[in-house]
PDB file of all heavy atoms in Angstrom:
ATOM      1  N   PRO P  57      -5.632   6.793  24.038  1.00  0.00           N
ATOM      2  CA  PRO P  57      -4.367   7.416  24.431  1.00  0.00           C
ATOM      3  C   PRO P  57      -4.177   7.233  25.937  1.00  0.00           C
ATOM      4  O   PRO P  57      -5.084   7.507  26.722  1.00  0.00           O
ATOM      5  CB  PRO P  57      -4.563   8.882  24.061  1.00  0.00           C
ATOM      6  CG  PRO P  57      -6.041   9.095  24.140  1.00  0.00           C
ATOM      7  CD  PRO P  57      -6.658   7.789  23.747  1.00  0.00           C
ATOM      8  N   VAL P  58      -3.005   6.734  26.342  1.00  0.00           N
ATOM      9  CA  VAL P  58      -2.767   6.481  27.763  1.00  0.00           C
ATOM     10  C   VAL P  58      -1.603   7.284  28.328  1.00  0.00           C
ATOM     11  O   VAL P  58      -1.466   7.388  29.544  1.00  0.00           O
ATOM     12  CB  VAL P  58      -2.559   4.971  28.044  1.00  0.00           C
ATOM     13  CG1 VAL P  58      -3.834   4.191  27.740  1.00  0.00           C
ATOM     14  CG2 VAL P  58      -1.392   4.406  27.252  1.00  0.00           C
ATOM     15  N   ALA P  59      -0.760   7.843  27.454  1.00  0.00           N
ATOM     16  CA  ALA P  59       0.396   8.600  27.939  1.00  0.00           C
ATOM     17  C   ALA P  59       0.997   9.415  26.804  1.00  0.00           C
ATOM     18  O   ALA P  59       0.684   9.199  25.624  1.00  0.00           O
ATOM     19  CB  ALA P  59       1.451   7.656  28.514  1.00  0.00           C
ATOM     20  N   VAL P  60       1.857  10.339  27.184  1.00  0.00           N
ATOM     21  CA  VAL P  60       2.678  11.086  26.233  1.00  0.00           C
ATOM     22  C   VAL P  60       4.122  10.806  26.615  1.00  0.00           C
ATOM     23  O   VAL P  60       4.478  10.824  27.793  1.00  0.00           O
ATOM     24  CB  VAL P  60       2.395  12.603  26.301  1.00  0.00           C
ATOM     25  CG1 VAL P  60       3.320  13.367  25.360  1.00  0.00           C
ATOM     26  CG2 VAL P  60       0.947  12.887  25.958  1.00  0.00           C
ATOM     27  N   ASP P  61       4.946  10.525  25.630  1.00  0.00           N
ATOM     28  CA  ASP P  61       6.355  10.222  25.871  1.00  0.00           C
ATOM     29  C   ASP P  61       7.195  11.071  24.923  1.00  0.00           C
ATOM     30  O   ASP P  61       6.660  11.739  24.039  1.00  0.00           O
ATOM     31  CB  ASP P  61       6.597   8.730  25.634  1.00  0.00           C
ATOM     32  CG  ASP P  61       7.883   8.218  26.262  1.00  0.00           C
ATOM     33  OD1 ASP P  61       8.561   8.981  26.989  1.00  0.00           O
ATOM     34  OD2 ASP P  61       8.211   7.043  26.033  1.00  0.00           O
ATOM     35  N   HIS P  62       8.488  11.028  25.088  1.00  0.00           N
ATOM     36  CA  HIS P  62       9.382  11.764  24.195  1.00  0.00           C
ATOM     37  C   HIS P  62      10.415  10.808  23.638  1.00  0.00           C
ATOM     38  O   HIS P  62      11.005  10.015  24.368  1.00  0.00           O
ATOM     39  CB  HIS P  62      10.079  12.912  24.929  1.00  0.00           C
ATOM     40  CG  HIS P  62      10.835  13.796  24.006  1.00  0.00           C
ATOM     41  ND1 HIS P  62      12.162  13.589  23.691  1.00  0.00           N
ATOM     42  CD2 HIS P  62      10.441  14.873  23.291  1.00  0.00           C
ATOM     43  CE1 HIS P  62      12.550  14.517  22.832  1.00  0.00           C
ATOM     44  NE2 HIS P  62      11.520  15.301  22.574  1.00  0.00           N
ATOM     45  N   SER P  63      10.599  10.880  22.353  1.00  0.00           N
ATOM     46  CA  SER P  63      11.588  10.066  21.650  1.00  0.00           C
ATOM     47  C   SER P  63      12.591  11.008  21.002  1.00  0.00           C
ATOM     48  O   SER P  63      12.203  12.031  20.435  1.00  0.00           O
ATOM     49  CB  SER P  63      10.889   9.230  20.579  1.00  0.00           C
ATOM     50  OG  SER P  63      11.822   8.719  19.647  1.00  0.00           O
ATOM     51  N   GLY P  64      13.865  10.678  21.076  1.00  0.00           N
ATOM     52  CA  GLY P  64      14.894  11.518  20.470  1.00  0.00           C
ATOM     53  C   GLY P  64      14.713  11.700  18.975  1.00  0.00           C
ATOM     54  O   GLY P  64      15.028  12.741  18.432  1.00  0.00           O
ATOM     55  N   LYS P  65      14.183  10.686  18.296  1.00  0.00           N
ATOM     56  CA  LYS P  65      13.987  10.758  16.846  1.00  0.00           C
ATOM     57  C   LYS P  65      12.658  11.372  16.455  1.00  0.00           C
ATOM     58  O   LYS P  65      12.568  12.141  15.514  1.00  0.00           O
ATOM     59  CB  LYS P  65      14.089   9.373  16.219  1.00  0.00           C
ATOM     60  CG  LYS P  65      15.471   8.781  16.246  1.00  0.00           C
ATOM     61  CD  LYS P  65      15.478   7.449  15.548  1.00  0.00           C
ATOM     62  CE  LYS P  65      16.879   6.877  15.538  1.00  0.00           C
ATOM     63  NZ  LYS P  65      16.935   5.608  14.829  1.00  0.00           N
ATOM     64  N   LYS P  66      11.592  11.010  17.155  1.00  0.00           N
ATOM     65  CA  LYS P  66      10.246  11.425  16.757  1.00  0.00           C
ATOM     66  C   LYS P  66       9.720  12.640  17.516  1.00  0.00           C
ATOM     67  O   LYS P  66       8.707  13.198  17.152  1.00  0.00           O
ATOM     68  CB  LYS P  66       9.264  10.272  16.960  1.00  0.00           C
ATOM     69  CG  LYS P  66       9.479   9.122  16.017  1.00  0.00           C
ATOM     70  CD  LYS P  66       8.393   8.100  16.199  1.00  0.00           C
ATOM     71  CE  LYS P  66       8.510   6.994  15.176  1.00  0.00           C
ATOM     72  NZ  LYS P  66       7.411   6.047  15.279  1.00  0.00           N
ATOM     73  N   GLY P  67      10.362  13.025  18.596  1.00  0.00           N
ATOM     74  CA  GLY P  67       9.831  14.102  19.424  1.00  0.00           C
ATOM     75  C   GLY P  67       8.759  13.554  20.342  1.00  0.00           C
ATOM     76  O   GLY P  67       8.856  12.424  20.822  1.00  0.00           O
ATOM     77  N   PHE P  68       7.704  14.329  20.595  1.00  0.00           N
ATOM     78  CA  PHE P  68       6.638  13.878  21.484  1.00  0.00           C
ATOM     79  C   PHE P  68       5.737  12.887  20.764  1.00  0.00           C
ATOM     80  O   PHE P  68       5.359  13.097  19.617  1.00  0.00           O
ATOM     81  CB  PHE P  68       5.828  15.068  21.995  1.00  0.00           C
ATOM     82  CG  PHE P  68       6.592  15.862  23.013  1.00  0.00           C
ATOM     83  CD1 PHE P  68       7.256  17.023  22.645  1.00  0.00           C
ATOM     84  CD2 PHE P  68       6.680  15.428  24.328  1.00  0.00           C
ATOM     85  CE1 PHE P  68       7.978  17.746  23.572  1.00  0.00           C
ATOM     86  CE2 PHE P  68       7.397  16.138  25.262  1.00  0.00           C
ATOM     87  CZ  PHE P  68       8.057  17.306  24.892  1.00  0.00           C
TER      88      PHE P  68
END
Side-chain angles (χ1 to χ4, degrees):
V58 295
V60 177
D61 198 6
H62 188 269
S63 164
K65 291 183 178 182
K66 291 185 175 184
F68 287 99

